[in-house]
Amino acid sequence: MSLDPVRRPYTAILIVPTGVGAAIGGYAGDALPVARGLSQVVDRLITHPNVLNGAQLYWPLSNALYTEGYGLDQFAAGEWGLRPVRQNRIGLVLDQAIEPDLRLRHLQVADAAKATLGLSLTDYVMTDQPLGVTLKTADSGTTWGTIQHPDSLLRAVEKLKHDAKAEAIAVVARFPDDVGSLALQEYRHGQGVDCLAGAEAIISHLVVRTFRLPCAHAPALSPLPIDPDLSPRSAAEELGYTFLPCVLVGLSQAPQLIDRHSRLQSTDIWAEQVDVLVVPETACGGSAVLSLSQTPTQIITVRENTTQLHVTADQLGIARLSVHSYLEAIGAIAALRSGLNPQSLTAQIDPIRLYDQSSGESIGSNRLH
Amino acid sequence: MQTHFLSLELDLCHPASALQRRILDALQPMGDPLRWAIVAVEPERGKVTVEAVVTRETEPWISVVTTWV
């Protein structure tokens, strides 16, 4: 292990916004390989469920911090910190609208997680009303949605937190089945935008904002008919009856969310410790990016990961290092971590120029005058 | 509690901290911000479009706390 002159863990945040049609990460946990690669060149990788969740598939990364989007935004703003844990006791909320057989499938996932993975779960709670998930697409092309009875969700979580002492919350809401829709067909073929993503984000955001507990969501859906043209990027969500396994695994070691009034511990992580943020080049309009743009955190934008949006760091006046691919991002981070200017690894290195203080511009390379 | 989807057009400004503050100031009167993002930028018009979800309380959601049996 090389000696890190800064002597603190090199920390990266990886964001792939959900519901924006990201070419990489907009499907079934297909940004997980990116997380795996980044995790090897950093000491700590903070990322969110959309990146790490592959329904039946997941990959335990010992240096990844599974942080829900609302919590990530608060962390980036400096309002909350992250406190790594060894294990969370997970409380499971099931939507009353889930039909009995499908509910049983989810309970069997919970049982399997206890027996085969050794996870700690409380007894589960059913909402006192059907949550009533609705899905929509905004004018921007991003998906959003909501639930008709958010109070019912919050009451269920309150029971788990107060009575069962749950330390992390897994929510399973019944989502509309939309078997014949063009949007679903496109998604299954690795195109278009995840229709469920916006509503899923609202569900977990509500829980995190209200209770400041780690939370993640798994939609309950009827199994789909087999599709021979299923995209590899979407395949992970069609391997089983539920999307729950990855959620339970992620939550089992998700960091607790603390505020500045908490008694601080040496292992706590705050935004000022973040060295680099990696985000798609056309999706720079989120809260976390804006917050960290005002700090020493190096922002790296990835051009290859196109989205439905066209909101760039340049348009917002945010300094960034633009790279073509995540492969290049991994290399750039390795260079930055070692104290190298990434440009020094390219064929074109410009000579140093005179900075003219009066004009505020760099003057050309005639050094004889 | 109810959630509400909003789409706002605001003036683009720099630095990003000022723009973030402007967005939050615009959302606060509408409700408690839950999720928001800039979804479009028109530099030539000096405008940004923000899509957001806010919540508004309709009545207290919390039930009487019961003892776990």
Side-chain angles (χ1 to χ4, degrees):
Chain A
M1 181 182 296
S2 61
L3 185 63
D4 185 334
V6 182
R7 289 184 174 79
R8 64 173 172 80
Y10 193 88
T11 303
I13 296 178
L14 170 64
I15 291 177
V16 182
T18 190
V20 300
I24 302 169
Y27 301 95
D30 57 311
L32 185 44
V34 175
R36 286 188 59 190
L38 281 175
S39 73
Q40 296 301 299
V41 294
V42 301
D43 293 308
R44 296 186 295 212
L45 177 66
I46 301 167
T47 189
H48 52 114
N50 181 56
V51 170
L52 297 177
N53 284 353
Q56 302 292 314
L57 299 184
Y58 50 85
W59 191 275
L61 296 170
S62 60
N63 62 341
L65 294 118
Y66 184 91
T67 307
E68 191 273 347
Y70 185 90
L72 191 51
D73 286 347
Q74 295 301 305
F75 168 77
E79 299 292 332
W80 291 355
L82 306 180
R83 179 165 291 172
V85 301
R86 294 194 190 284
Q87 184 182 75
N88 289 315
R89 187 164 47 251
I90 303 169
L92 178 62
V93 176
L94 296 184
D95 185 353
Q96 190 189 89
I98 301 172
E99 49 271 54
D101 281 0
L102 190 51
R103 185 190 316 146
L104 182 57
R105 292 290 186 190
H106 286 84
L107 297 178
Q108 289 174 343
V109 170
D111 285 342
K114 290 168 66 175
T116 301
L117 300 180
L119 303 192
S120 176
L121 277 79
T122 71
D123 286 336
Y124 73 98
V125 168
M126 212 155 65
T127 60
D128 53 26
Q129 292 176 283
L131 292 180
V133 175
T134 59
L135 307 177
K136 291 180 184 171
T137 300
D139 289 344
S140 64
T142 62
T143 60
W144 78 284
T146 190
I147 52 177
Q148 293 172 347
H149 302 289
D151 295 354
S152 180
L153 169 64
L154 298 180
R155 284 192 293 271
V157 177
E158 170 67 22
K159 285 192 172 65
L160 287 173
K161 180 181 179 182
H162 186 273
D163 295 350
K165 308 303 181 194
E167 297 161 324
I169 303 296
V171 180
V172 182
R174 188 61 169 98
F175 271 56
D177 294 313
D178 202 11
V179 178
S181 75
L182 178 62
L184 176 60
Q185 185 179 25
E186 289 181 340
Y187 178 84
R188 297 179 80 188
H189 294 164
Q191 298 162 4
V193 185
D194 180 356
C195 304
L196 313 185
E200 293 198 87
I202 294 304
I203 290 169
S204 61
H205 281 23
L206 279 167
V207 173
V208 176
R209 188 184 71 176
T210 307
F211 298 99
R212 213 176 74 218
L213 285 176
C215 177
H217 174 266
L221 293 160
S222 299
L224 293 169
I226 195 168
D227 183 345
D229 297 320
L230 185 64
S231 167
R233 291 196 172 277
S234 305
E237 290 175 354
E238 301 197 21
L239 305 181
Y241 296 101
T242 81
F243 291 57
L244 188 55
C246 62
V247 164
L248 297 180
V249 168
L251 288 175
S252 69
Q253 292 192 311
Q256 289 294 310
L257 303 163
I258 59 174
D259 64 19
R260 297 280 183 182
H261 302 295
S262 304
R263 182 176 295 183
L264 302 180
Q265 297 179 5
S266 60
T267 53
D268 294 341
I269 306 167
W270 296 90
E272 49 264 33
Q273 296 167 270
V274 175
D275 294 283
V276 66
L277 163 65
V278 184
V279 64
E281 180 141 300
T282 57
C284 292
S287 175
V289 178
L290 267 64
S291 293
L292 290 171
S293 70
Q294 302 149 58
T295 72
T297 300
Q298 172 68 62
I299 294 175
I300 297 177
T301 60
V302 181
R303 298 189 295 276
E304 186 179 38
N305 197 2
T306 58
T307 73
Q308 294 280 92
L309 303 175
H310 298 281
V311 180
T312 66
D314 290 350
Q315 290 172 325
L316 300 177
I318 294 173
R320 86 301 178 260
L321 172 64
S322 176
V323 300
H324 170 66
S325 64
Y326 283 108
L327 197 58
E328 191 177 343
I330 290 169
I333 290 172
L336 290 166
R337 181 182 181 173
S338 67
L340 278 174
N341 178 353
Q343 194 184 37
S344 67
L345 299 174
T346 65
Q348 177 65 38
I349 299 177
D350 295 326
I352 193 169
R353 297 183 297 174
L354 171 66
Y355 178 78
D356 182 58
Q357 296 182 59
S358 57
S359 66
E361 295 177 354
S362 295
I363 298 176
S365 58
N366 187 341
R367 299 180 171 201
L368 296 179
H369 302 283
Chain B
M1 179 187 291
Q2 288 183 340
T3 61
H4 299 270
F5 176 82
L6 308 170
S7 181
L8 306 176
E9 185 177 86
L10 301 172
D11 290 336
L12 173 64
C13 63
H14 300 297
S17 56
L19 181 57
Q20 189 173 22
R21 188 70 257 159
R22 179 169 290 181
I23 293 169
L24 292 172
D25 288 345
L27 292 177
Q28 281 293 347
M30 313 268 187
D32 205 354
L34 185 64
R35 186 176 189 232
W36 63 265
I38 301 168
V39 297
V41 181
E42 295 177 74
E44 61 283 358
R45 290 180 60 227
K47 300 288 186 185
V48 299
T49 302
V50 174
E51 289 177 349
V53 176
V54 301
T55 58
R56 297 175 197 152
E57 293 293 339
T58 50
E59 58 183 39
W61 59 265
I62 193 165
S63 61
V64 174
V65 173
T66 58
T67 302
W68 194 260
V69 179

